[in-house]
Amino acid sequence: MSTASAGGGRVVVVTGGTRGIGLGLAGELLQRGCRVVVCGRSSAAVDTAVAALAEHGADRVTGLPADVTDRESLQKLWDHATQTFGRVDVWINNAGISAPRRSMTEVSADVADDVVRTNLVGAMNGCAVALAGLREQAGGGWVWNMEGFGSNGQIQPGMAIYGASKRGVTYLTEALVKEAKGSDVRVGFLSPGIVATDLLLADYDGQPEAFEKARKIFNILGDRVETVTPWLADRLLAATKNGTRVAWLTGPKAMRRFMAASFRSRDIFSDAEAKV
């Protein structure tokens, strides 16, 4: 099967699809023949993303500003997708933000609330809208939730808020896998690993020394958006089993990278970094 035909014309909604992993994933899905709908927080961000993605097929991409913390806003995104392309086959809850990597007492209540509402409540809202819509259409479809640090039990100082939100997303997904059992709707986990995005850099905003200490580990275990998103796109489109986990950075892969670290030099924050 060619890359262009891999998507089979499926309609995919990507929340937070205007930057980072979401934008990269949207582009890869378009290259695989999908029709793609993206959302972002502002009209300007959506317009910029759609214009960039149009190189892969202007008639197969559209977007709408949406606030994932507002279920009605995501319902409008669903309606926009179905009115434009006739149905939705895949819904990806990708939208997410992070908090500064600091002690919880140093993070304001407003920032903490924004992280939890975007990452966890946003995923809940997306799941509620997508599951309801998918159950009503012939053939059902897929909902994928994006995991992150904390999803699999990782714990680090300074990551309490973000990690708790992502642990919640994993529980949510596990519960919905059980709820979808025996139906035409399937639910899956997407785990991109450590990816060099503005989200990762924002974790260390105002903490250059802390970032330099973490950079060595990031360069061993991390990757760039253009390295990870083609792999994610291929596997989510090929998935058939409810409860599938598509995970880029597995335990064995991490171990191999640590073992090879002294023999190779990588910089995922440089445009010159080679793909792996």
Side-chain angles (χ1 to χ4, degrees), residues 3-183:
T3 299
S5 63
R10 276 177 278 185
V11 179
V12 185
V13 175
V14 184
T15 71
T18 61
R19 62 181 187 175
I21 295 173
L23 181 62
L25 196 52
E28 295 296 334
L29 291 165
L30 282 165
Q31 291 185 58
R32 285 154 178 77
C34 295
R35 291 167 287 173
V36 174
V37 183
V38 298
C39 78
R41 287 187 168 186
S42 70
S43 296
V46 171
D47 291 345
T48 299
V50 169
L53 293 168
E55 67 176 279
H56 304 299
D59 61 333
R60 291 188 291 111
V61 60
T62 184
L64 193 73
D67 178 359
V68 297
T69 70
D70 178 359
R71 190 172 298 186
E72 183 178 342
S73 183
L74 288 184
Q75 184 61 57
K76 291 178 180 178
L77 180 65
W78 172 279
D79 294 342
H80 175 74
T82 56
Q83 289 164 8
T84 304
F85 295 126
R87 62 179 286 123
V88 171
D89 298 290
V90 180
W91 179 287
I92 303 173
N93 287 310
N94 165 76
I97 60 174
S98 188
R101 193 172 293 220
R102 291 187 170 91
S103 167
M104 188 168 180
T105 59
E106 299 179 61
V107 181
S108 72
D110 288 343
V111 169
D113 183 67
D114 200 19
V115 170
V116 173
R117 284 181 55 76
T118 302
N119 296 357
L120 181 53
V121 177
M124 289 179 176
N125 287 337
C127 286
V129 168
L131 289 171
L134 293 172
R135 287 169 180 163
E136 292 297 318
Q137 68 181 17
W142 276 91
V143 174
W144 294 90
N145 288 334
M146 192 70 72
E147 295 188 308
F149 184 89
S151 286
N152 295 325
Q154 310 99 318
I155 299 173
Q156 278 190 13
M159 294 293 288
I161 297 166
Y162 180 82
S165 73
K166 284 300 184 178
R167 183 81 70 92
V169 168
T170 296
Y171 180 90
L172 168 70
T173 311
E174 290 170 346
L176 294 179
V177 168
K178 291 184 178 295
E179 290 186 17
K181 186 177 180 179
S183 74

